[in-house]
Amino acid sequence: MSNNPNINIFLDPNYKSSFTALNEPFEDLSQSDSSLESNSRSNLQNIVILDFGSQYSELIARRVRELKVYSEVLSHNISVEKLRLLCPQGIILSGGPASVYEKGSPDIDPEIFELGIPILGICYGMQITVLTMGGKVAPIHLGGGEYGKAKLFLDSTDGIFSGLENSLMTWMSHGDSVLTLPDGFQIIAHTARTPIAAIANEEKKIYGVQFHPEVVHSEKGMEILANFVYRIANCKAEWTTGQFLNNSINEVKETVGEGKVLLALSGGVDSSALAFLLNKAIGKQLTCMFIDQGFMRLNEPEKLLQVFREQFKIPVIYVNAKERFLNKVKGITDPEHKRKLIGEEFIRVFEEESTKLGPIAFLAQGTLYPDIIESAGANYDRQKPGEKIAVKIKSHHNVGGLPENMKFKLLEPFRKLFKDEVRRVARELGVPTRITKRHPFPGPGLAIRIIGEITEERLNILRMADYIAREEIDEAGLYDSVWQIFAVLLADIKSVGVMGDKRTYASPIVIRAIKSEDGMTADWAHLPYEVLEKISTRIINEVAGINRVVYDITSKPPGTIEWE
Ligand code: XMP
């Protein structure tokens, strides 16, 4: 066995990438490692979001980061000792679906309120604050709750409401409300239905709001969060892409040492930015590998190789695994099964190919924070098994689909970044705009856009339809105005049509175009009818096997962006 520590790491199945620990100042605290206090990254000013199961917890983190302050989502049941080690400047308690007075509902270590760290409770977060500190919470008088927009009347324009007018429109979603306040608190806002809609304990710097300042429907929501972050928690706006890059490059160097890194390049913004970052950090120790699983879009593999090899002079190994993947998913129709098989096969191919390259210690991936969140992974790994409170939506290719017996250690410098943050990082690294602006494309590719079994013929049909949709939106100058446009093939559904006086009986193509800030929520894009018409006409005329085109007008939620 080699003395190279990275190779030993490679052989140790229990080893956890030290990069993960370095890049995520909060990750390893479950081990109560007091040396973390001296970790240079603990100097990073941060706001901790404690999650009580809200769909909006990550949105709160994004909002705080938009204020240029680092923020992470952690489980509500973090202990006071662990929290103290993180040195947060402020704590935000999220909303949640439960009722605080219900048995078994998520609670909080009461000592957290005694730390002297400013706290802002949102919705459930406010109610748990009240309950824990000695007040009362009950179902709303006469039942029914308060959902949607509600006019908020401010009884104070200090603290979190500094600089605001006396009333503003807010967004509410609660069936319970605060009945009596704990000692030291006062009411700072009310609505027609909720007499205690915001509270403050100025002395302890503990605040609560019944509405959701993080959602765009709440007027002045960002001002309220900014007041908490800057005025109450005294944070400075200093978490920038430049700072992230410097830290990441140093951490990659430190973690990787002399070891070799293999990068799964897909050509999207995440893995391209990662290639640039790693190239900058470790140069020749990096090997980029592009695995063609056969689920890519039209001409994409060829273009990718040309851009990286010829234009950027970054060497890329091309692996043609099309047949292998197609065989793997033969006969499979269940979406989760498809995702798992593709994810596993992907890693296996990497493992096999890597052995041809000599010892490789790390596999680099452009995994993002939303991938982790939606797979209900990292946020809750400090909890006991079975305590996950976020509901798993789908296994994202780069996380949930990974087999547990992987030989590589993962290097995921972007795993705590949102998409818009990666785009900024990419720009800073000099990644060309045609890549930074490329619409996101899922790891399993077209395979999860064929509803039904995947065959080569179906892939070709989908590829052409997808190409036409993207070409037409580009032609109309609308490419940058949507988050994503793509086609989905409803392969097992057939409908009757008429073409050239003949009856047809063929499959429909769904066009999905959406607008989104981060892929976590999305609205369907209101594309001009003329553009939709052109897409439809071209697909029917140019793609054999399709006789109908439909447009998906579902937002997320309730739909997800991809169909599988
Ligand atoms: P959903 O379908 O979960 O998609 O609403 C949210 C965003 O993520 C992309 N997506 C993926 N990206 N691996 C990825 O790298 C995946 O397995 C995956 N699945 C979905 C999707 O295209 C959208 O932008």
Side-chain angles (χ1 to χ4, degrees):
M1 259 184 230
S2 164
N3 289 328
N4 181 332
N6 289 306
I7 296 172
N8 292 332
I9 283 164
F10 177 59
L11 296 169
D12 175 2
N14 297 318
Y15 176 79
K16 186 165 180 292
S17 161
S18 60
F19 179 77
T20 303
L22 281 165
N23 197 34
E24 299 169 11
F26 309 151
E27 190 71 17
D28 257 12
L29 288 160
S30 51
Q31 273 111 56
S32 287
D33 178 359
S34 58
S35 68
L36 274 157
E37 282 177 314
S38 60
N39 182 337
S40 59
R41 286 187 54 93
S42 65
N43 292 331
L44 189 66
Q45 283 197 335
N46 68 82
I47 297 280
V48 162
I49 318 297
L50 294 189
D51 179 26
F52 290 86
S54 167
Q55 295 292 331
Y56 296 126
S57 299
E58 292 73 34
L59 187 58
I60 305 171
R62 269 197 76 220
R63 296 286 181 243
V64 174
R65 291 192 198 184
E66 281 168 24
L67 297 168
K68 295 195 166 64
V69 174
Y70 189 70
S71 175
E72 274 202 38
V73 182
L74 299 174
S75 170
H76 67 96
N77 62 6
I78 189 168
S79 71
V80 70
E81 294 81 25
K82 287 177 191 167
L83 197 56
R84 199 185 279 121
L85 286 177
L86 306 175
C87 311
Q89 298 278 114
I91 299 167
I92 299 180
L93 312 179
S94 84
S99 282
V100 286
Y101 47 79
E102 265 168 20
K103 207 167 164 236
S105 57
D107 56 7
I108 184 167
D109 189 333
E111 282 185 50
I112 288 176
F113 295 101
E114 306 304 326
L115 286 173
I117 300 171
I119 293 177
L120 171 64
I122 295 176
C123 196
Y124 187 96
M126 163 163 129
Q127 294 167 6
I128 196 78
T129 302
V130 166
L131 191 79
T132 312
M133 298 188 78
K136 272 203 187 115
V137 175
I140 286 194
H141 183 55
L142 298 178
E146 188 180 36
Y147 299 98
K149 288 191 173 171
K151 190 137 192 146
L152 185 81
F153 300 94
L154 305 187
D155 303 311
S156 152
T157 46
D158 288 334
I160 53 169
F161 294 146
S162 285
L164 300 185
E165 302 291 324
N166 286 332
S167 71
L168 42 110
M169 199 53 85
T170 56
W171 195 77
M172 295 275 188
S173 180
H174 63 119
D176 294 335
S177 67
V178 172
L179 211 59
T180 59
L181 289 177
D183 288 346
F185 279 82
Q186 55 166 352
I187 301 169
I188 55 169
H190 64 274
T191 69
R193 241 179 120 57
T194 306
I196 307 181
I199 58 172
N201 181 331
E202 301 283 355
E203 199 192 317
K204 292 195 158 175
K205 296 193 175 182
I206 299 178
Y207 296 83
V209 290
Q210 188 55 72
F211 59 94
H212 289 267
E214 71 275 23
V215 303
V216 286
H217 317 289
S218 282
E219 271 174 20
K220 307 288 178 194
M222 272 308 262
E223 277 89 337
I224 294 167
L225 291 175
N227 277 336
F228 176 72
V229 169
Y230 298 141
R231 283 173 184 267
I232 313 293
N234 272 321
C235 289
K236 292 191 191 71
E238 57 186 19
W239 193 70
T240 60
T241 24
Q243 197 204 31
F244 169 83
L245 264 180
N246 282 343
N247 283 345
S248 292
I249 288 173
N250 289 337
E251 286 158 12
V252 166
K253 281 183 183 161
E254 221 173 283
T255 305
V256 166
E258 303 289 307
K260 274 194 186 174
V261 178
L262 184 58
L263 169 62
L265 191 63
S266 74
V269 59
D270 311 335
S271 65
S272 299
L274 191 52
F276 274 63
L277 185 146
L278 295 175
N279 195 38
K280 209 166 174 170
I282 52 166
K284 289 201 161 57
Q285 284 163 260
L286 170 70
T287 302
C288 291
M289 186 183 285
F290 170 62
I291 294 188
D292 190 352
Q293 12 79 320
F295 306 143
M296 302 299 286
R297 293 176 283 197
L298 195 69
N299 299 333
E300 209 160 34
E302 296 81 0
K303 271 198 204 142
L304 174 97
L305 292 177
Q306 191 255 329
V307 166
F308 269 83
R309 285 175 179 170
E310 289 168 32
Q311 202 179 331
F312 305 137
K313 313 286 178 221
I314 297 178
V316 181
I317 296 173
Y318 174 80
V319 180
N320 184 345
K322 294 189 212 177
E323 224 179 293
R324 189 170 164 168
F325 275 87
L326 207 52
N327 282 336
K328 192 83 197 170
V329 293
K330 205 173 169 178
I332 307 297
T333 54
D334 176 71
E336 280 297 288
H337 196 183
K338 270 186 202 171
R339 280 178 171 274
K340 278 238 150 32
L341 288 176
I342 295 169
E344 271 168 26
E345 197 62 6
F346 192 76
I347 292 294
R348 290 291 155 251
V349 175
F350 259 98
E351 280 181 343
E352 282 171 35
E353 293 299 322
S354 74
T355 55
K356 299 177 189 165
L357 302 169
I360 297 278
F362 295 92
L363 173 64
Q365 287 205 136
T367 311
L368 304 190
Y369 207 19
D371 301 337
I372 309 275
I373 292 159
E374 293 219 358
S375 296
N379 293 329
Y380 304 104
D381 57 8
R382 280 162 222 86
Q383 290 183 248
K384 293 188 193 87
E387 279 190 349
K388 286 178 186 172
I389 50 174
V391 180
K392 176 166 155 180
I393 315 279
K394 56 176 89 162
S395 300
H396 275 237
H397 170 82
N398 5 16
V399 185
L402 292 184
E404 277 166 14
N405 60 342
M406 268 180 45
K407 280 199 213 154
F408 301 108
K409 297 301 125 216
L410 286 183
L411 196 60
E412 297 177 314
F414 299 155
R415 65 183 264 126
K416 287 295 164 79
L417 292 192
F418 292 102
K419 192 85 183 178
D420 48 343
E421 293 173 329
V422 172
R423 286 214 172 98
R424 279 203 296 276
V425 165
R427 277 199 295 274
E428 185 114 358
L429 281 163
V431 179
T433 44
R434 84 183 124 154
I435 292 182
T436 57
K437 290 194 168 177
R438 203 187 83 144
H439 291 174
F441 188 59
L446 300 180
I448 54 162
R449 293 178 180 169
I450 293 174
I451 313 306
E453 189 185 349
I454 303 156
T455 65
E456 197 155 356
E457 191 196 351
R458 289 174 170 185
L459 281 165
N460 286 333
I461 290 175
L462 180 60
R463 216 170 257 134
M464 265 324 288
D466 172 81
Y467 180 77
I468 291 168
R470 285 184 297 120
E471 194 172 60
E472 284 305 322
I473 202 116
D474 200 20
E475 192 77 5
L478 293 171
Y479 187 87
D480 291 341
S481 73
V482 296
W483 167 268
Q484 249 172 321
I485 181 167
F486 57 89
V488 178
L489 175 63
L490 306 186
D492 291 335
I493 292 179
K494 295 229 174 352
S495 73
V496 176
V498 54
M499 281 172 89
D501 290 338
K502 281 205 184 104
R503 178 187 190 268
T504 59
Y505 189 54
S507 291
I509 276 283
V510 177
I511 298 298
R512 181 128 171 90
I514 54 126
K515 297 204 171 215
S516 176
E517 276 183 39
D518 54 12
M520 312 258 303
T521 58
D523 288 326
W524 61 277
H526 294 213
L527 293 183
Y529 283 167
E530 307 78 63
V531 177
L532 289 173
E533 188 178 16
K534 229 167 154 193
I535 292 174
S536 164
T537 310
R538 276 196 64 195
I539 291 178
I540 301 291
N541 283 319
E542 296 175 34
V543 187
I546 299 300
N547 68 347
R548 196 175 287 272
V549 176
V550 298
Y551 190 50
D552 184 347
I553 53 168
T554 321
S555 294
K556 173 184 177 175
T560 51
I561 294 174
E562 302 291 344
W563 272 48
E564 291 197 333

